[in-house]
Amino acid sequence: MFTFPRSIAAAVVAASLASLAAQAGAAAPLPQLVQKDGRHALMVDGAPFTILGVQAHNSSNSVAALKQVWPAVMDVHANTLEIPVAWEQVEPVEGKFDFSYVDALVKQARQHKVRLVLLWFGAWKNTTPQYMPGWAKFDNQRFPRMVDKAGKPIYCMSPFGEETLKADRKAFVAFMTHLRKLDEDHRTVIMVQVENEMGTYSQARDYGAKAEAAFRQAVPPAVLARKKSPVPGAASGTWSEVYGPYADEYFHAWSFARYVEELAKAGRAVYNLPMYVNNNLRDPLAPIVPWKNENFVPGGPTYDVIDIYKAAAPHIDIAAPDIYQPESAKVAADLDLFQRPDNALMVPEMGNSANYARYLYQILGRGSLGVAPFGIDYFDYSNFPLGAKGTDKAMAEPFGNIMAVFRPMERLWAKWAFEGRTHGVAESDERTPQTIALKNWKATVSFREWQFGEKTWFPDLKDTPAGTETPNGGVAIAQTGDNTFIIVGQYARIKLDGDGVNAGKPSLWDRVEEGHFDGAGKWVMERLWNGDQVDYGLNFKGKPLVLKVTIATY
Ligand code: DGJ
C-alpha cells in the first residue's frame, strides 16, 4: 500500500488541527512565506498551502455583487478568492472608515470555506487613481499628479506626493487593523496585494520638482548592491551616472517601490500578513531596451527591476506576474523570470479563456504558491479579447475541471512542491513533445495522440482526437519516492524512461492506479490501469485524471 512520507502526513494533520483550532476560536498561526533551498511555501494554518484561486471582476467588491461571485468560485472548486478592497469604498469621507463590505466578505468566505487574498486598490489601479476616494483624486494641490517633461500634470498620481502616501497609508493601516480584529482567530485572509499594477503608461518617470530633486541624488546603496546596470556605468553616483539610458525607468521603479514599502511596513506592523505586488508584464522575449513609445509600463515590478523592488521594499514578499500574453513561449519565459530563489512564484492573475487552462499544470508543477484566473465571476461582463467571451459556466469549466482534481491534494501538492518534487508542462503552441527531468527517470509528454498504439504505426491516419483542435494539454507530476509518482493530466500522453542510475535499463509499470485523494489526504483507488491502458504510455483525454504510479527496472 502507498504510504506518504511521515512529514507529509504530519503536515496534513497539522493543517487539519489548525483548522479545527480556528473553528474553535483559537488563533491559528499567521500565514507566512517560508523559503528553503531556493524554494518557497505559503504556510497557512502552519502547513504549506496551494492557492487554487480565482480573481473576481474589479467591480464585484460590494455585498450585493458577491452573489454572482460565489457560484463561480464554487464551480471552479477554488479554495481562494482574490477580490478588491478599494480605498474609495472604505474611506468615502476622509477619516470615516466603513468596513461593512470587508465584514460581509470575510463572513461569506468562511461560509463557503474559501480563503481570501485581498487586493488593496489605493493610489494606483492599473496606473490610474481611479480607486482613490473622490475627496482625494481630484485635489491636485494636496495629492499631486505626476508631471511630464513640459511641466504639465498627467493622469497618474506622483509617487512623491507626501500627502498621498500619508493618506493611502492611513487608510491601508486602518484596513489592516480592522482585518486583524476581524480575522486573527480565523486567518480566512491569507495574503494582501498592495496597490494594483503600478506604473505609468505615457512616460518613463515623474518630472515634478520633488522627483527631479530625488533623481539628482545618489542611487541608494541598497539598490546599488542589487541592481547592476545593463550598460557600462559608474559604480556609484546619481541615477544617470550609474544607469545611463535606463536611469529614468529604474528611478521610477524605485519611486513606486519605496512608496509601497511604506504601506507594507506600516500595514504589517499591525497585522503581519504576507504581501505582494503585481505586474503588467513587459514582453519577456523582447530584448531589454530603455523605455520608449510605451514599449512597456515603467514603474511597476517588471522582471528587470525585481532587484530594485527587493532593495527598496523589503516588506513586500513577492513581485508577481499577471499573465495575459497567451503564447506558450511567453508564458514559459515569464514563469522563468519571476521564479527566483529570492522571489516566490505566484500568479495572481491570468486570462480566463480556455486556452489558459493548460497553464495550470505548468504553473502548479513548477511549485507556484498559487494561481488565479481573472474574472471568474458570473457578473455579466467579459474582458474579451484579453479573456473569455462568456461569463458563464462554460468559462469556468476548463479551470474547474483541473482545480477539482488538485483541490483534495492542495496541501500535499504544496508540500511536494516545497520539497522540489513537482514538475509540470503545458502543451506548447508548436504542440511538440516535451521532456521532464526527474530523479533517475525522464518523462516524455506528447500531445494529439490517440490512446492506442504509436503514431508511426498508422502513417496514413489523418484523423485527430476530438478536443485537441487547439493546444490544451498539460501534465503535472510529483515524484513522491524513487519510483513512485502522482501524475495529473489532460489531453496528453506520458512515458517514463530510466535516467541517471536507471539510464539504459528496461522498465515496466509496476502499478498504475487511477483515483483521488480524500479530504484527509488519503489515496482512494478507483481503477487499476493495465493492458491497453499502459502499453502505449499513460494517456489522458479531456477529463483531468489523477494516477498513482509505480515503475521499476528489471
Ligand atoms: C489586469 C488588472 O490587474 C485587473 O485588475 C484587470 O483590470 C485586468 N487587467 C483586465 O481585465
Side-chain angles (χ1 to χ4, degrees):
M1 204 189 100
F2 179 88
T3 49
F4 290 113
R6 213 181 281 270
S7 57
I8 291 177
V12 173
V13 171
S16 318
L17 289 177
S19 289
L20 286 176
Q23 282 160 28
L30 263 172
Q32 58 165 325
L33 252 69
V34 292
Q35 197 261 108
K36 190 167 182 277
D37 301 333
R39 289 187 296 271
H40 305 263
L42 171 63
M43 306 296 281
V44 172
D45 295 344
F49 179 76
T50 309
I51 294 178
L52 300 169
V54 296
Q55 186 163 147
H57 283 292
N58 294 159
S59 308
S60 294
N61 58 332
S62 62
V63 181
L66 290 174
K67 279 201 293 289
Q68 285 171 296
V69 175
W70 297 119
V73 174
M74 295 295 110
D75 284 349
V76 169
H77 308 280
N79 61 20
T80 304
L81 168 66
E82 300 178 354
I83 191 162
V85 173
W87 183 5
E88 68 172 356
Q89 79 182 130
V90 301
E91 197 184 6
V93 175
E94 188 170 7
K96 294 212 171 7
F97 291 98
D98 173 0
F99 291 108
S100 49
Y101 154 70
V102 176
D103 294 344
L105 170 65
V106 169
K107 186 169 165 208
Q108 291 185 24
R110 287 180 194 152
Q111 283 162 354
H112 287 89
K113 298 193 173 13
V114 164
R115 307 275 179 168
L116 293 169
V117 171
L118 298 182
L119 320 173
W120 177 250
F121 284 7
W124 296 283
K125 156 58 174 94
N126 295 31
T127 81
T128 83
Q130 196 60 48
Y131 281 89
M132 288 176 77
W135 54 265
K137 71 178 157 188
F138 301 109
D139 184 346
N140 289 0
Q141 288 310 311
R142 187 170 161 207
F143 304 106
R145 301 188 127 71
M146 280 175 47
V147 167
D148 68 14
K149 277 186 173 163
K152 276 217 199 80
I154 66 162
Y155 75 98
C156 186
M157 285 289 146
S158 167
F160 290 95
E162 282 162 20
E163 281 290 307
T164 315
L165 171 58
K166 234 161 93 185
D168 196 354
R169 183 175 51 201
K170 183 175 160 202
F172 185 67
V173 168
F175 160 56
M176 292 304 296
T177 307
H178 188 81
L179 260 193
R180 175 169 55 75
K181 279 194 225 122
L182 181 67
D183 200 40
E184 69 181 339
D185 288 341
H186 290 81
R187 316 298 191 196
T188 302
V189 180
I190 55 174
M191 256 195 189
V192 171
Q193 177 187 297
V194 190
E195 309 291 351
N196 189 82
E197 291 197 355
M198 290 170 291
T200 309
Y201 280 110
S202 50
Q203 58 190 53
R205 69 170 173 92
D206 186 4
Y207 298 92
K210 286 219 169 79
E212 282 297 298
F215 188 66
R216 286 192 298 270
Q217 300 293 306
V219 177
V223 175
L224 272 184
R226 290 192 78 124
K227 184 64 189 168
K228 304 298 163 217
S229 181
V231 292
S236 63
T238 65
W239 290 85
S240 295
E241 285 163 351
V242 178
Y243 296 122
Y246 295 89
D248 287 341
E249 64 204 56
Y250 286 5
F251 171 77
H252 203 36
W254 173 77
S255 312
F256 280 103
R258 55 182 270 292
Y259 182 108
V260 283
E261 167 63 7
E262 291 302 317
L263 262 68
K265 189 167 71 185
R268 294 180 79 146
V270 295
Y271 191 33
N272 191 14
L273 287 181
M275 294 194 183
Y276 72 95
V277 287
N278 64 334
N279 174 229
N280 184 335
L281 300 174
R282 60 187 295 168
D283 183 342
L285 301 177
I288 289 273
V289 289
W291 184 87
K292 203 178 167 204
N293 300 331
E294 309 198 6
N295 52 348
F296 66 97
V297 184
T302 48
Y303 73 84
D304 51 324
V305 296
I306 291 177
D307 284 314
I308 296 179
Y309 270 80
K310 295 287 171 196
H315 286 85
I316 295 289
D317 295 297
I318 305 172
D322 291 349
I323 296 184
Y324 290 101
Q325 303 169 338
E327 300 86 354
S328 58
K330 288 189 181 172
V331 173
D334 287 326
L335 299 177
D336 273 344
L337 290 163
F338 279 86
Q339 185 168 34
R340 315 184 344 170
D342 64 351
N343 194 61
L345 181 64
M346 164 173 172
V347 181
E349 292 184 38
M350 182 170 82
N352 65 355
S353 47
N355 54 330
Y356 283 94
R358 70 199 204 266
Y359 296 126
L360 293 180
Y361 292 100
Q362 187 176 15
I363 292 168
L364 295 171
R366 291 184 68 124
S368 176
L369 303 186
V371 54
F374 177 88
I376 302 271
D377 163 350
Y378 294 149
F379 171 37
D380 192 13
Y381 197 96
S382 145
N383 66 351
F384 177 83
L386 213 55
K389 278 188 185 153
T391 54
D392 49 10
K393 281 182 184 285
M395 170 256 311
E397 193 179 285
F399 298 92
N401 287 345
I402 302 171
M403 291 208 188
V405 295
F406 276 97
R407 183 73 200 267
M409 54 180 180
E410 65 199 16
R411 294 284 183 177
L412 295 168
W413 196 266
K415 181 77 166 57
W416 291 328
F418 192 36
E419 292 170 350
R421 297 174 184 276
T422 64
H423 310 265
V425 294
E427 184 174 2
S428 71
D429 299 340
E430 294 72 36
R431 323 199 69 177
T432 43
Q434 299 180 46
T435 55
I436 302 173
L438 301 157
K439 189 174 155 217
N440 297 322
W441 295 96
K442 184 180 84 174
T444 305
V445 184
S446 52
F447 305 94
R448 303 211 86 183
E449 303 267 14
W450 290 98
Q451 292 174 278
F452 188 92
E454 301 291 341
K455 273 181 186 161
T456 49
W457 300 352
F458 311 101
D460 299 330
L461 185 66
K462 297 278 177 291
D463 212 357
T464 48
T468 67
E469 295 75 17
T470 56
N472 59 13
V475 164
I477 179 164
Q479 186 163 12
T480 51
D482 285 347
N483 299 326
T484 55
F485 303 88
I486 296 295
I487 307 177
V488 193
Q490 69 182 42
Y491 292 121
R493 166 180 293 189
I494 182 166
K495 289 182 174 178
L496 294 181
D497 291 295
D499 200 10
V501 300
N502 293 330
K505 293 188 193 162
S507 59
L508 265 185
W509 305 112
D510 181 2
R511 198 169 166 86
V512 178
E513 297 181 9
E514 178 189 328
H516 66 274
F517 288 93
D518 69 12
K522 190 168 157 293
W523 176 255
V524 181
M525 187 187 94
E526 289 161 21
R527 180 193 292 272
L528 186 63
W529 281 27
N530 213 335
D532 290 345
Q533 280 66 53
V534 302
D535 287 346
Y536 316 104
L538 307 177
N539 288 281
F540 295 94
K541 288 187 78 180
K543 182 180 178 311
L545 295 179
V546 188
L547 301 178
K548 183 161 82 66
V549 173
T550 312
I551 192 167
T553 58
Y554 57 90

